[in-house]
Amino acid sequence: WDNTLLLDAAGCLWAGGANRCGTLSEDDDKPVRLTKVDLSELDGVPFEAVSAGRDHAVALLEGGRAVVAWGSSNEFGQIGHGPAR
């Protein structure tokens, strides 16, 4: 789609692109240059894998500790909370 998510060797998540519907964890739809994603609620736990969808993103934390998802589309339950639309 219009976004890119990258993991560096340290497990830090980087994102860039159109930020359609907040898929890059930003609150608005403004385009984002490649920048480190700061999810402070994760307390610095590194990412192990990441995948970008059309209006959402999903990431696996190091060691399989948790899966986190964000974005605006939950049409098919893909972000895992609340009812699917």
Side-chain angles (χ1 to χ4, degrees):
W1 302 101
D2 296 334
N3 302 310
T4 298
L5 297 172
L6 306 166
L7 285 177
D8 65 19
C12 295
L13 179 61
W14 294 78
N19 194 37
R20 175 185 154 102
C21 301
T23 53
L24 301 179
S25 81
E26 297 291 326
D27 293 333
D28 55 34
D29 287 339
K30 294 179 183 174
V32 176
R33 292 181 186 255
L34 192 60
T35 186
K36 188 174 178 181
V37 176
D38 178 24
L39 298 175
S40 57
E41 58 273 3
L42 298 179
D43 293 327
V45 176
F47 292 92
E48 190 169 300
V50 65
S51 181
R54 180 176 177 196
D55 295 330
H56 71 288
V58 180
L60 176 67
L61 298 183
E62 184 181 66
R65 295 180 192 186
V67 173
V68 293
W70 60 91
S72 69
S73 177
N74 197 38
E75 183 176 1
F76 304 105
Q78 64 267 43
I79 57 175
H81 59 80
R85 292 186 224 168

